[in-house]
Coordinates of all heavy atoms in Angstrom, one line a residue:
M1 N 117.7 114.8 111.8 CA 116.5 115.1 112.6 C 116.3 114.0 113.6 O 116.4 112.9 113.4 CB 115.3 115.1 111.6 CG 114.0 115.4 112.4 SD 112.5 115.3 111.3 CE 112.9 116.4 110.1
Q2 N 116.0 114.5 114.8 CA 115.8 113.5 115.9 C 114.4 113.0 115.7 O 113.4 113.7 115.4 CB 115.9 114.2 117.2 CG 117.3 114.6 117.6 CD 117.4 115.1 119.0 OE1 116.4 115.6 119.5 NE2 118.6 115.0 119.6
A3 N 114.2 111.7 116.1 CA 112.9 111.0 115.9 C 111.9 111.5 116.8 O 110.7 111.7 116.4 CB 113.1 109.5 116.1
R4 N 112.2 111.7 118.1 CA 111.1 112.1 119.0 C 110.4 113.4 118.7 O 109.2 113.4 118.6 CB 111.7 112.1 120.4 CG 110.6 112.3 121.5 CD 111.1 112.2 122.8 NE 112.3 112.9 123.0 CZ 112.8 113.2 124.2 NH1 112.2 112.8 125.3 NH2 114.0 113.8 124.3
P5 N 111.2 114.5 118.4 CA 110.5 115.7 118.0 C 109.7 115.5 116.7 O 108.6 116.1 116.6 CB 111.6 116.7 117.9 CG 112.7 116.2 118.7 CD 112.6 114.7 118.6
A6 N 110.2 114.8 115.8 CA 109.6 114.6 114.5 C 108.3 113.8 114.7 O 107.2 114.2 114.1 CB 110.5 113.9 113.5
I7 N 108.3 112.8 115.5 CA 107.1 112.0 115.7 C 106.1 112.8 116.5 O 104.9 112.8 116.2 CB 107.5 110.7 116.4 CG1 108.2 109.8 115.5 CG2 106.2 110.0 116.9 CD1 108.8 108.5 116.1
A8 N 106.5 113.5 117.5 CA 105.6 114.4 118.3 C 104.9 115.4 117.4 O 103.7 115.6 117.5 CB 106.3 115.1 119.4
R9 N 105.7 116.0 116.5 CA 105.1 116.9 115.5 C 104.1 116.3 114.6 O 103.1 116.8 114.3 CB 106.2 117.6 114.8 CG 105.7 118.8 114.0 CD 106.8 119.6 113.2 NE 107.4 118.7 112.2 CZ 108.7 118.4 112.1 NH1 109.5 118.8 113.1 NH2 109.1 117.6 111.2
L10 N 104.5 115.1 114.1 CA 103.6 114.4 113.2 C 102.3 114.0 113.9 O 101.2 114.1 113.4 CB 104.2 113.1 112.7 CG 105.3 113.3 111.6 CD1 106.0 112.0 111.4 CD2 104.6 113.7 110.3
C11 N 102.4 113.6 115.2 CA 101.2 113.2 115.9 C 100.4 114.4 116.2 O 99.1 114.3 116.4 CB 101.6 112.5 117.2 SG 102.3 110.8 116.9
R12 N 101.0 115.5 116.4 CA 100.3 116.8 116.7 C 99.6 117.4 115.5 O 98.4 117.7 115.6 CB 101.2 117.8 117.4 CG 100.5 119.0 117.9 CD 101.5 120.0 118.5 NE 102.4 120.5 117.5 CZ 103.7 120.4 117.5 NH1 104.3 119.7 118.4 NH2 104.5 120.8 116.5
D13 N 100.3 117.5 114.4 CA 99.6 118.3 113.4 C 99.8 117.7 112.0 O 99.3 118.2 111.0 CB 100.1 119.7 113.4 CG 101.6 119.9 113.1 OD1 102.2 118.9 112.7 OD2 102.1 121.0 113.4
H14 N 100.6 116.6 111.9 CA 100.8 115.9 110.7 C 100.9 116.8 109.4 O 100.4 116.4 108.4 CB 99.9 114.7 110.4 CG 98.4 115.1 110.6 ND1 97.6 115.6 109.6 CD2 97.6 115.0 111.7 CE1 96.4 115.8 110.1 NE2 96.4 115.5 111.3
A15 N 101.6 117.9 109.6 CA 101.5 118.9 108.6 C 102.2 118.6 107.3 O 101.9 119.1 106.2 CB 102.2 120.2 109.1
T16 N 103.2 117.6 107.3 CA 103.9 117.4 106.1 C 103.5 116.1 105.4 O 104.1 115.7 104.4 CB 105.4 117.2 106.4 OG1 105.6 116.2 107.3 CG2 106.0 118.5 107.0
L17 N 102.5 115.4 105.9 CA 102.0 114.2 105.2 C 101.0 114.5 104.2 O 100.1 115.4 104.3 CB 101.4 113.2 106.3 CG 102.4 112.8 107.4 CD1 101.8 111.9 108.4 CD2 103.6 112.2 106.7
R18 N 101.1 113.7 103.1 CA 100.3 114.0 101.9 C 98.8 113.9 102.1 O 98.0 114.7 101.5 CB 100.7 113.1 100.8 CG 102.0 113.6 100.2 CD 102.3 112.7 99.0 NE 103.1 113.5 98.1 CZ 103.4 113.2 96.8 NH1 102.8 112.1 96.4 NH2 104.1 113.9 96.1
A19 N 98.3 113.0 103.0 CA 96.9 112.9 103.2 C 96.3 114.2 103.8 O 95.3 114.7 103.4 CB 96.6 111.7 104.1
H20 N 97.1 114.8 104.7 CA 96.7 116.0 105.3 C 96.8 117.2 104.3 O 95.9 118.0 104.1 CB 97.6 116.3 106.5 CG 97.3 117.6 107.2 ND1 96.1 117.8 107.9 CD2 98.0 118.7 107.3 CE1 96.1 119.1 108.3 NE2 97.2 119.6 108.0
L21 N 97.9 117.2 103.6 CA 98.1 118.3 102.6 C 97.1 118.2 101.5 O 96.6 119.2 101.0 CB 99.5 118.2 102.0 CG 100.7 118.4 102.9 CD1 102.0 118.2 102.2 CD2 100.6 119.9 103.5
H22 N 96.7 117.0 101.1 CA 95.7 116.9 100.0 C 94.3 117.4 100.5 O 93.6 118.1 99.7 CB 95.5 115.4 99.7 CG 94.6 115.1 98.6 ND1 94.8 115.6 97.3 CD2 93.4 114.5 98.5 CE1 93.8 115.2 96.5 NE2 92.9 114.6 97.2
R23 N 94.0 117.2 101.8 CA 92.7 117.8 102.3 C 92.7 119.3 102.3 O 91.7 119.9 102.1 CB 92.5 117.3 103.8 CG 92.0 115.9 103.9 CD 91.5 115.6 105.3 NE 92.5 115.6 106.3 CZ 93.3 114.6 106.5 NH1 93.2 113.4 105.9 NH2 94.3 114.7 107.4
L24 N 93.9 119.8 102.4 CA 94.1 121.3 102.3 C 94.3 121.8 100.9 O 94.6 123.0 100.7 CB 95.3 121.7 103.2 CG 95.2 121.4 104.7 CD1 96.4 121.8 105.4 CD2 94.0 122.1 105.3
H25 N 94.2 120.9 99.9 CA 94.4 121.2 98.5 C 95.8 121.7 98.3 O 96.1 122.5 97.4 CB 93.4 122.2 98.0 CG 92.0 121.8 98.3 ND1 91.3 120.9 97.5 CD2 91.1 122.2 99.2 CE1 90.1 120.7 98.0 NE2 90.0 121.5 99.0
L26 N 96.8 121.2 99.0 CA 98.2 121.5 98.8 C 99.0 120.4 98.2 O 100.2 120.6 98.0 CB 98.8 121.9 100.2 CG 98.2 123.2 100.9 CD1 98.7 123.4 102.3 CD2 98.4 124.4 100.0
S27 N 98.4 119.3 98.0 CA 99.0 118.1 97.3 C 98.1 117.6 96.3 O 96.9 117.5 96.5 CB 99.4 117.1 98.4 OG 99.9 115.9 97.7
P28 N 98.6 117.2 95.1 CA 97.7 116.7 94.1 C 97.0 115.4 94.4 O 96.0 115.0 93.9 CB 98.6 116.5 92.9 CG 100.0 116.4 93.4 CD 100.0 117.2 94.7
D29 N 97.6 114.6 95.3 CA 97.0 113.3 95.7 C 97.4 113.0 97.2 O 98.3 113.6 97.7 CB 97.5 112.2 94.8 CG 99.0 111.9 94.9 OD1 99.4 111.4 96.0 OD2 99.7 112.2 94.0
P30 N 96.7 112.1 97.8 CA 96.9 111.8 99.3 C 97.9 110.7 99.5 O 98.2 110.3 100.6 CB 95.5 111.4 99.8 CG 94.9 110.8 98.6 CD 95.4 111.5 97.4
F31 N 98.5 110.1 98.4 CA 99.2 108.9 98.5 C 100.6 109.0 99.0 O 101.3 110.0 98.6 CB 99.1 108.1 97.2 CG 97.7 107.8 96.8 CD1 97.1 108.5 95.7 CD2 96.9 106.9 97.5 CE1 95.8 108.2 95.3 CE2 95.6 106.7 97.2 CZ 95.1 107.3 96.1
C32 N 101.1 108.0 99.7 CA 102.5 107.9 100.1 C 103.4 108.0 98.9 O 103.2 107.3 97.9 CB 102.6 106.6 100.9 SG 104.4 106.2 101.3
P33 N 104.4 108.8 98.9 CA 105.3 108.9 97.8 C 106.1 107.6 97.6 O 106.7 107.4 96.5 CB 106.2 110.1 98.1 CG 106.1 110.2 99.6 CD 104.8 109.7 100.0
W34 N 106.2 106.7 98.5 CA 107.0 105.5 98.4 C 106.1 104.4 97.9 O 106.5 103.6 97.0 CB 107.6 105.1 99.7 CG 108.4 106.2 100.3 CD1 108.0 107.0 101.4 CD2 109.6 106.8 99.9 NE1 109.0 108.0 101.6 CE2 110.0 107.8 100.7 CE3 110.5 106.4 98.8 CZ2 111.1 108.6 100.5 CZ3 111.6 107.1 98.6 CH2 112.0 108.2 99.5
C35 N 104.9 104.2 98.4 CA 104.0 103.1 98.1 C 103.1 103.5 96.9 O 102.8 102.6 96.0 CB 103.0 102.8 99.2 SG 103.8 102.4 100.8
R36 N 102.7 104.7 96.8 CA 101.8 105.2 95.8 C 100.4 104.6 95.7 O 99.7 104.9 94.8 CB 102.5 105.0 94.4 CG 103.8 105.7 94.2 CD 103.9 107.2 94.4 NE 102.9 107.8 93.6 CZ 102.4 109.0 93.8 NH1 102.8 109.7 94.9 NH2 101.5 109.6 93.0
I37 N 100.1 103.7 96.7 CA 98.7 103.1 96.7 C 98.0 103.3 98.0 O 96.8 103.1 98.1 CB 98.8 101.6 96.4 CG1 99.7 100.9 97.4 CG2 99.3 101.3 95.0 CD1 99.6 99.4 97.3
T38 N 98.7 103.8 99.0 CA 98.1 104.0 100.3 C 98.2 105.4 100.7 O 99.3 106.1 100.5 CB 98.9 103.1 101.4 OG1 98.9 101.8 100.9 CG2 98.2 103.2 102.7
P39 N 97.1 106.0 101.2 CA 97.2 107.4 101.7 C 98.3 107.6 102.8 O 98.5 106.7 103.6 CB 95.8 107.7 102.3 CG 94.9 106.8 101.6 CD 95.7 105.5 101.3
E40 N 99.1 108.6 102.6 CA 100.1 108.9 103.6 C 99.6 109.5 104.9 O 99.6 110.7 105.0 CB 101.2 109.8 103.0 CG 102.5 109.9 103.8 CD 103.5 110.9 103.3 OE1 103.1 111.9 102.7 OE2 104.7 110.6 103.4
T41 N 99.1 108.7 105.7 CA 98.6 109.1 107.0 C 99.7 109.0 108.1 O 100.7 108.3 107.8 CB 97.4 108.3 107.5 OG1 97.8 106.9 107.6 CG2 96.3 108.4 106.4
I42 N 99.4 109.4 109.3 CA 100.4 109.3 110.3 C 100.7 107.8 110.6 O 101.8 107.4 110.7 CB 99.9 110.0 111.6 CG1 99.8 111.5 111.4 CG2 100.8 109.7 112.8 CD1 99.0 112.2 112.5
E43 N 99.6 107.0 110.7 CA 99.7 105.6 111.0 C 100.5 104.9 109.9 O 101.4 104.1 110.2 CB 98.3 105.0 111.2 CG 98.4 103.6 111.7 CD 97.1 103.1 112.2 OE1 96.0 103.7 111.8 OE2 97.0 102.1 112.9
H44 N 100.2 105.2 108.7 CA 100.9 104.6 107.6 C 102.4 104.9 107.7 O 103.3 104.0 107.6 CB 100.3 105.0 106.2 CG 101.1 104.5 105.1 ND1 101.1 103.2 104.7 CD2 102.1 105.1 104.3 CE1 101.9 103.0 103.7 NE2 102.5 104.1 103.4
F45 N 102.7 106.2 107.8 CA 104.1 106.6 107.9 C 104.9 106.0 109.0 O 106.0 105.5 108.8 CB 104.1 108.2 107.9 CG 105.5 108.7 108.0 CD1 106.3 108.8 106.8 CD2 106.0 109.2 109.2 CE1 107.6 109.4 106.9 CE2 107.3 109.8 109.2 CZ 108.1 109.8 108.1
L46 N 104.3 106.0 110.2 CA 105.0 105.6 111.4 C 105.0 104.1 111.6 O 105.9 103.5 112.2 CB 104.4 106.3 112.6 CG 104.6 107.8 112.7 CD1 104.0 108.3 114.0 CD2 106.1 108.1 112.7
L47 N 104.0 103.4 111.1 CA 103.8 102.0 111.5 C 103.7 101.0 110.3 O 103.9 99.8 110.5 CB 102.6 101.8 112.3 CG 102.6 102.6 113.6 CD1 101.2 102.6 114.3 CD2 103.7 102.2 114.5
Q48 N 103.3 101.5 109.1 CA 103.0 100.5 108.1 C 103.8 100.6 106.8 O 103.9 99.6 106.1 CB 101.5 100.7 107.7 CG 100.5 100.5 108.8 CD 99.1 101.1 108.6 OE1 98.9 101.8 107.6 NE2 98.2 100.7 109.4
C49 N 104.3 101.7 106.4 CA 105.0 101.9 105.1 C 106.2 100.9 105.0 O 107.1 101.0 105.9 CB 105.4 103.3 104.9 SG 106.1 103.6 103.3
L50 N 106.2 100.1 104.0 CA 107.3 99.2 103.8 C 108.6 99.9 103.6 O 109.7 99.3 103.8 CB 106.9 98.2 102.7 CG 105.8 97.3 103.0 CD1 105.5 96.4 101.7 CD2 106.0 96.4 104.2
H51 N 108.6 101.1 103.1 CA 109.8 101.8 102.8 C 110.6 102.0 104.1 O 111.8 102.2 104.1 CB 109.5 103.1 102.2 CG 110.7 103.9 101.8 ND1 111.5 103.6 100.7 CD2 111.3 105.0 102.4 CE1 112.5 104.4 100.6 NE2 112.4 105.3 101.6
F52 N 109.9 102.1 105.3 CA 110.5 102.4 106.6 C 110.5 101.2 107.5 O 110.5 101.3 108.7 CB 109.8 103.6 107.2 CG 109.8 104.8 106.4 CD1 108.7 105.3 105.8 CD2 111.0 105.5 106.3 CE1 108.7 106.4 105.0 CE2 111.1 106.7 105.5 CZ 109.9 107.2 104.9
Q53 N 110.4 100.0 106.9 CA 110.3 98.8 107.7 C 111.4 98.6 108.7 O 111.2 98.1 109.8 CB 110.2 97.6 106.7 CG 109.8 96.3 107.5 CD 109.4 95.2 106.6 OE1 109.7 95.2 105.4 NE2 108.8 94.1 107.1
S54 N 112.6 98.9 108.3 CA 113.7 98.7 109.2 C 113.6 99.6 110.5 O 113.9 99.2 111.6 CB 115.1 99.0 108.5 OG 115.2 100.4 108.2
H55 N 113.0 100.8 110.3 CA 112.7 101.7 111.4 C 111.6 101.2 112.3 O 111.7 101.3 113.5 CB 112.4 103.1 110.9 CG 113.5 103.8 110.1 ND1 114.5 104.4 110.7 CD2 113.6 103.9 108.8 CE1 115.3 104.9 109.8 NE2 114.8 104.6 108.6
H56 N 110.6 100.6 111.6 CA 109.5 100.0 112.4 C 110.0 98.8 113.2 O 109.6 98.7 114.4 CB 108.4 99.5 111.4 CG 107.8 100.6 110.6 ND1 107.2 100.4 109.4 CD2 107.8 102.0 110.7 CE1 106.8 101.5 108.8 NE2 107.2 102.5 109.6
T57 N 110.9 98.0 112.6 CA 111.4 96.9 113.3 C 112.2 97.4 114.5 O 112.1 96.8 115.6 CB 112.3 96.1 112.4 OG1 111.5 95.6 111.3 CG2 112.9 94.9 113.1
A58 N 113.0 98.4 114.4 CA 113.8 98.9 115.5 C 112.9 99.5 116.6 O 113.2 99.3 117.8 CB 114.8 100.0 115.0
L59 N 111.9 100.1 116.2 CA 110.9 100.7 117.2 C 110.3 99.5 117.9 O 110.1 99.6 119.2 CB 109.9 101.5 116.5 CG 108.8 102.2 117.4 CD1 109.4 103.1 118.4 CD2 107.8 102.9 116.5
H60 N 109.8 98.5 117.2 CA 109.2 97.3 117.9 C 110.2 96.7 118.9 O 109.8 96.4 120.0 CB 108.8 96.3 116.8 CG 107.4 96.6 116.2 ND1 106.3 96.2 116.8 CD2 107.1 97.2 115.1 CE1 105.3 96.6 116.0 NE2 105.8 97.2 115.0
Y61 N 111.4 96.6 118.5 CA 112.4 96.0 119.3 C 112.6 96.8 120.6 O 112.6 96.3 121.7 CB 113.8 95.9 118.6 CG 114.9 95.4 119.4 CD1 115.0 94.0 119.7 CD2 115.8 96.3 119.9 CE1 116.0 93.6 120.5 CE2 116.9 95.8 120.7 CZ 117.0 94.5 121.0 OH 118.0 94.0 121.8
R62 N 112.7 98.1 120.5 CA 112.9 99.0 121.6 C 111.7 99.0 122.6 O 111.9 99.0 123.8 CB 113.3 100.4 121.2 CG 114.6 100.5 120.5 CD 115.0 101.9 120.1 NE 115.5 102.6 121.3 CZ 116.0 103.8 121.2 NH1 116.1 104.4 120.1 NH2 116.4 104.4 122.3
L63 N 110.5 98.9 122.0 CA 109.3 98.9 122.8 C 109.1 97.6 123.5 O 108.6 97.5 124.6 CB 108.1 99.3 122.0 CG 108.1 100.8 121.6 CD1 107.0 101.1 120.6 CD2 108.0 101.7 122.8
S64 N 109.5 96.5 122.8 CA 109.3 95.2 123.4 C 110.2 95.0 124.6 O 109.9 94.3 125.5 CB 109.6 94.1 122.4 OG 111.0 94.1 122.0
A65 N 111.3 95.7 124.7 CA 112.2 95.7 125.9 C 111.5 96.3 127.1 O 111.8 96.1 128.2 CB 113.5 96.4 125.6
L66 N 110.4 97.1 126.8 CA 109.6 97.7 127.8 C 108.3 97.0 128.0 O 107.4 97.5 128.6 CB 109.4 99.2 127.5 CG 110.6 100.0 127.4 CD1 110.2 101.4 126.9 CD2 111.3 100.1 128.7
A67 N 108.2 95.7 127.5 CA 107.0 94.9 127.5 C 105.8 95.5 126.8 O 104.7 95.2 127.1 CB 106.7 94.6 129.0
I68 N 106.1 96.3 125.8 CA 105.1 96.8 124.9 C 105.1 96.0 123.7 O 106.1 96.2 122.9 CB 105.2 98.3 124.7 CG1 105.2 99.1 126.0 CG2 104.2 98.8 123.7 CD1 105.5 100.6 125.8
T69 N 104.2 95.2 123.5 CA 104.2 94.3 122.3 C 103.2 94.6 121.3 O 103.3 94.2 120.1 CB 104.0 92.8 122.8 OG1 102.7 92.7 123.5 CG2 105.1 92.3 123.7
T70 N 102.2 95.4 121.6 CA 101.3 95.9 120.6 C 101.6 97.3 120.3 O 101.7 98.2 121.2 CB 99.8 95.8 121.2 OG1 99.5 94.5 121.5 CG2 98.8 96.3 120.1
L71 N 101.8 97.6 119.0 CA 102.2 98.9 118.6 C 101.1 99.5 117.7 O 100.9 99.0 116.6 CB 103.6 98.9 118.0 CG 104.2 100.3 117.6 CD1 104.3 101.2 118.9 CD2 105.5 100.1 117.0
D72 N 100.5 100.5 118.2 CA 99.6 101.3 117.3 C 99.7 102.7 117.6 O 100.5 103.2 118.4 CB 98.1 100.8 117.6 CG 97.7 100.9 119.0 OD1 98.3 101.7 119.7 OD2 96.7 100.2 119.4
L73 N 99.0 103.5 116.9 CA 99.2 105.0 117.0 C 98.9 105.5 118.4 O 99.7 106.3 118.9 CB 98.3 105.7 116.0 CG 98.7 107.1 115.7 CD1 100.2 107.3 115.3 CD2 97.8 107.7 114.6
P74 N 97.8 105.1 119.1 CA 97.6 105.6 120.5 C 98.8 105.3 121.4 O 99.2 106.1 122.2 CB 96.3 105.0 120.9 CG 95.6 104.7 119.6 CD 96.7 104.4 118.6
I75 N 99.3 104.1 121.3 CA 100.5 103.7 122.1 C 101.7 104.5 121.8 O 102.4 105.0 122.6 CB 100.8 102.2 122.0 CG1 99.7 101.4 122.7 CG2 102.1 101.8 122.6 CD1 99.7 99.9 122.5
L76 N 101.9 104.7 120.5 CA 103.1 105.5 120.1 C 102.9 107.0 120.5 O 103.9 107.6 121.0 CB 103.2 105.5 118.6 CG 104.5 106.0 118.0 CD1 105.7 105.4 118.5 CD2 104.4 105.9 116.5
Q77 N 101.7 107.5 120.4 CA 101.5 108.9 120.9 C 101.7 109.0 122.4 O 102.3 110.0 122.9 CB 100.1 109.4 120.5 CG 99.9 109.6 119.0 CD 98.5 109.8 118.6 OE1 97.6 109.2 119.1 NE2 98.3 110.8 117.8
A78 N 101.3 108.0 123.1 CA 101.4 108.0 124.6 C 102.9 107.9 125.0 O 103.3 108.5 126.0 CB 100.6 106.9 125.2
A79 N 103.7 107.2 124.2 CA 105.1 107.0 124.5 C 106.0 108.1 124.1 O 107.1 108.3 124.6 CB 105.6 105.7 123.8
T80 N 105.5 109.0 123.2 CA 106.4 110.0 122.6 C 106.7 111.2 123.5 O 107.9 111.5 123.7 CB 105.8 110.5 121.3 OG1 105.6 109.4 120.4 CG2 106.7 111.5 120.6
P81 N 105.8 111.9 124.1 CA 106.1 113.2 124.7 C 107.2 113.1 125.8 O 108.3 113.7 125.7 CB 104.8 113.8 125.2 CG 103.8 113.1 124.3 CD 104.3 111.8 124.0
P82 N 106.9 112.5 127.0 CA 107.8 112.6 128.0 C 109.0 111.6 128.0 O 110.0 111.8 128.5 CB 107.0 112.4 129.3 CG 105.9 111.5 128.8 CD 105.7 111.9 127.3
G83 N 108.8 110.5 127.3 CA 109.7 109.4 127.3 C 110.8 109.6 126.4 O 110.8 110.6 125.6
N84 N 111.8 108.7 126.4 CA 112.9 108.8 125.4 C 113.0 107.5 124.6 O 114.0 107.2 124.2 CB 114.2 109.1 126.1 CG 114.6 108.0 127.1 OD1 113.8 107.1 127.3 ND2 115.6 108.2 127.8
L85 N 111.8 106.9 124.4 CA 111.8 105.7 123.7 C 112.3 105.8 122.2 O 112.8 104.9 121.6 CB 110.4 105.1 123.6 CG 109.8 104.8 125.0 CD1 108.3 104.4 124.8 CD2 110.5 103.7 125.7
L86 N 112.0 107.0 121.7 CA 112.2 107.1 120.2 C 113.4 108.0 119.9 O 113.7 108.3 118.8 CB 111.0 107.7 119.6 CG 109.7 106.9 119.9 CD1 108.5 107.7 119.5 CD2 109.8 105.6 119.2
S87 N 114.2 108.4 120.9 CA 115.3 109.3 120.6 C 116.5 108.5 120.5 O 116.6 107.3 120.7 CB 115.5 110.3 121.8 OG 115.7 109.6 123.0
Ligands
ZN101 ZN1 104.2 104.1 102.1

């Protein structure tokens, strides 16, 4: 799976994340399947989950080459659609 379409889809409707599924009564709990203590939100999945730390590090590295040193969800959403930062 390519990262850019997956991230764009997550930012748009986060349909597969447990926090969202739990709100729809489609998941027994909202927690990340890797951490088990933090709700699996878009921000957690893309920026915080320790299970994906190597991916987060690679993303930080690629964005720092573009002088983007602060990484949060609004910045990631802004970088995702037209750019190729995440592909
Ligand atoms: Zn997690």
Side-chain angles (χ1 to χ4, degrees):
M1 176 186 304
Q2 291 185 334
R4 187 172 45 163
I7 290 172
R9 189 178 66 242
L10 283 169
C11 291
R12 186 181 65 243
D13 61 16
H14 49 88
T16 60
L17 299 178
R18 284 183 151 196
H20 179 68
L21 293 175
H22 184 66
R23 282 192 296 274
L24 299 175
H25 306 284
L26 297 174
S27 174
D29 65 71
F31 301 111
C32 172
W34 308 106
C35 303
R36 304 297 309 157
I37 56 171
T38 305
E40 189 185 33
T41 61
I42 296 169
E43 189 166 18
H44 175 75
F45 180 76
L46 293 177
L47 302 171
Q48 300 166 347
C49 184
L50 294 178
H51 185 76
F52 301 106
Q53 189 169 14
S54 65
H55 298 281
H56 301 159
T57 301
L59 180 61
H60 278 274
Y61 175 78
R62 293 181 79 172
L63 291 173
S64 68
L66 300 172
I68 298 172
T69 56
T70 300
L71 187 56
D72 58 22
L73 196 55
I75 289 173
L76 190 56
Q77 288 172 318
T80 302
N84 60 1
L85 300 173
L86 304 171
S87 60

